[in-house]
């Protein structure tokens, strides 16, 4: 039987090795990784401008910009003039000695006093000198002239809560200081935040220190007339400032041309 045509197998050709393609320096290959963590943001690229920040962050940033742009009346602007870092550190060191009792410590003290009275022993001394807090309580102390030193937080929100307090302190001649910030005052009182705190009395060894802070408050805040008169804000953005500078230069150049033409 005759063999079928085309039954013979074609001879295998030896594969020719291709030359490796040269990498394009303009468009380097950046293969994507689809493994776990492959979607992590590349290092060294700042994408903070493209982040959708939480609403409270946007509000506080917008408020800061508005306080710069708009004209701010003196009664609000005075809260931007808080005391310096070193002065604040000294004040908080003093106040830290007079932190109020915790509920547990107060309960223990009352229990010990009751036990001493029942046993007809010597009753422990009265409540130690401590910091007063709470807006209504401190207001009453100022009105009765019992407060020796008042500390007001600079970042109370809404500001109307403490807006009138500096005026009251000036009227009653009670020295006050504006400090940063409400969270730091709150820590002194075992609270999250505190708008205002006050000292009524201190131990004998701290009276000289208290007198220094009272004089500082009187000089920097109570009797500072510029603080009551000076408006804040009115600071334009960088683009607006550049535009105004350019306009002023153009006007100056035009005036110079006119002056030169008149001399001729």
């Amino acid at each position: 039987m005759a063999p079928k045509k085309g039954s013979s197998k074609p001879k295998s050709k030896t594969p020719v090795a291709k030359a490796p393609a040269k990498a394009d320096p303009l468009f380097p290959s950046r293969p994507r990784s689809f493994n776990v963590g492959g979607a992590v943001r590349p290092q060294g690229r700042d994408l903070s401008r493209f982040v959708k920040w939480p609403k409270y962050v946007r509000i506080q940033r917008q408020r800061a910009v508005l306080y710069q742009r708009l004209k701010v009346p003196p009664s609000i602007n005075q809260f931007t003039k808080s005391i310096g870092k070193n002065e604040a550190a000294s004040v908080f060191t003093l106040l830290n000695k007079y932190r109020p009792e915790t509920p547990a410590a107060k309960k223990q003290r009352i229990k010990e006093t009751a036990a001493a009275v029942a046993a007809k022993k010597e009753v422990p001394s009265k409540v130690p000198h401590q910091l007063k807090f709470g807006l209504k309580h401190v207001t009453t102390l100022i009105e009765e002239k019992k407060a020796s030193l008042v500390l007001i937080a600079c970042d109370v929100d809404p500001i109307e809560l403490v807006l009138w307090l500096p005026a009251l302190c000036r009227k009653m001649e009670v020295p006050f200081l504006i400090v940063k910030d409400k969270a730091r005052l709150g820590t002194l009182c075992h609270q999250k935040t505190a708008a205002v705190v006050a000292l009524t009395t201190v131990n004998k060894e701290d009276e000289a220190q208290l007198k220094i802070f009272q004089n500082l408050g009187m000089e920097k805040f109570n009797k500072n007339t510029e603080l009551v008169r000076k408006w804040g804000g009115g600071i334009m953005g960088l683009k607006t400032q550049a535009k105004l500078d350019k306009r002023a230069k153009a006007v100056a150049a035009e005036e110079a041309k006119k002056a030169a033409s008149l001399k001729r």
Side-chain angles (χ1 to χ4, degrees):
M1 189 173 175
K4 292 179 180 178
K5 290 182 179 179
S7 62
S8 60
K9 293 180 180 178
K11 292 179 181 179
S12 60
K13 294 180 180 179
T14 54
V16 179
K18 291 182 180 179
K22 290 184 178 179
D24 190 349
L26 292 176
F27 303 102
S29 173
R30 291 194 186 94
R32 286 192 66 181
S33 168
F34 294 98
N35 296 332
V36 175
V40 175
R41 181 175 65 83
Q43 293 293 325
R45 193 185 296 177
D46 184 18
L47 300 177
S48 57
R49 284 180 63 83
F50 306 103
V51 175
K52 187 175 181 183
W53 294 100
K55 194 172 183 181
Y56 79 96
V57 173
R58 277 179 278 152
I59 286 171
Q60 68 190 15
R61 288 179 179 179
Q62 287 164 357
R63 189 194 296 120
V65 172
L66 278 176
Y67 277 154
Q68 285 183 326
R69 302 286 181 271
L70 302 177
K71 284 278 187 180
V72 182
S75 56
I76 296 176
N77 188 51
Q78 66 182 339
F79 286 95
T80 61
K81 311 294 182 186
S82 56
I83 59 173
K85 191 177 179 181
N86 295 333
E87 294 163 340
S90 305
V91 172
F92 280 99
T93 304
L94 173 66
L95 296 183
N96 206 38
K97 296 179 183 178
Y98 299 99
R99 295 180 71 181
E101 294 173 303
T102 57
K106 186 177 180 181
K107 190 176 180 181
Q108 182 65 24
R109 181 176 54 79
I110 291 169
K111 192 183 284 186
E112 287 173 3
T113 305
V117 170
K120 294 182 180 180
K121 293 180 181 177
E122 189 180 344
V123 179
S125 59
K126 292 182 180 179
V127 183
H129 305 302
Q130 59 186 16
L131 205 60
K132 310 294 181 184
F133 64 99
L135 198 54
K136 288 184 179 179
H137 184 35
V138 172
T139 304
T140 307
L141 292 173
I142 295 168
E143 287 171 344
E144 293 173 357
K145 292 191 175 183
K146 288 181 180 177
S148 305
L149 182 67
V150 177
L151 270 72
I152 308 169
C154 68
D155 59 342
V156 179
D157 185 36
I159 196 71
E160 287 84 2
L161 289 173
V162 292
L163 195 61
W164 44 271
L165 209 51
L168 179 66
C169 289
R170 288 187 185 102
K171 185 182 178 183
M172 304 309 290
E173 294 182 350
V174 174
F176 73 95
L177 297 168
I178 294 172
V179 296
K180 292 180 182 178
D181 51 11
K182 62 184 179 182
R184 203 171 176 189
L185 290 181
T187 306
L188 291 171
C189 313
H190 311 291
Q191 304 287 326
K192 281 185 179 178
T193 58
V196 58
V197 299
L199 268 177
T200 49
T201 52
V202 293
N203 297 332
K204 201 165 187 180
E205 63 268 18
D206 292 324
E207 284 177 358
Q209 188 80 4
L210 178 64
K211 189 69 178 173
I212 291 168
F213 295 134
Q214 285 176 331
N215 293 338
L216 176 68
M218 280 289 181
E219 182 188 339
K220 199 166 184 178
F221 293 99
N222 287 61
K223 295 180 179 178
N224 190 352
T225 52
E226 189 184 346
L227 208 62
V228 187
R229 295 174 186 167
K230 193 173 182 181
W231 283 62
I235 302 167
M236 294 294 105
L238 294 174
K239 288 182 181 177
T240 310
Q241 285 179 19
K243 196 186 293 181
L244 292 173
D245 289 345
K246 192 176 179 182
R247 193 180 297 167
K249 284 177 183 176
V251 170
E254 193 67 31
E255 291 294 329
K257 279 183 185 179
K258 284 181 182 178
S261 62
L262 287 172
K263 285 179 182 177
R264 288 179 186 173

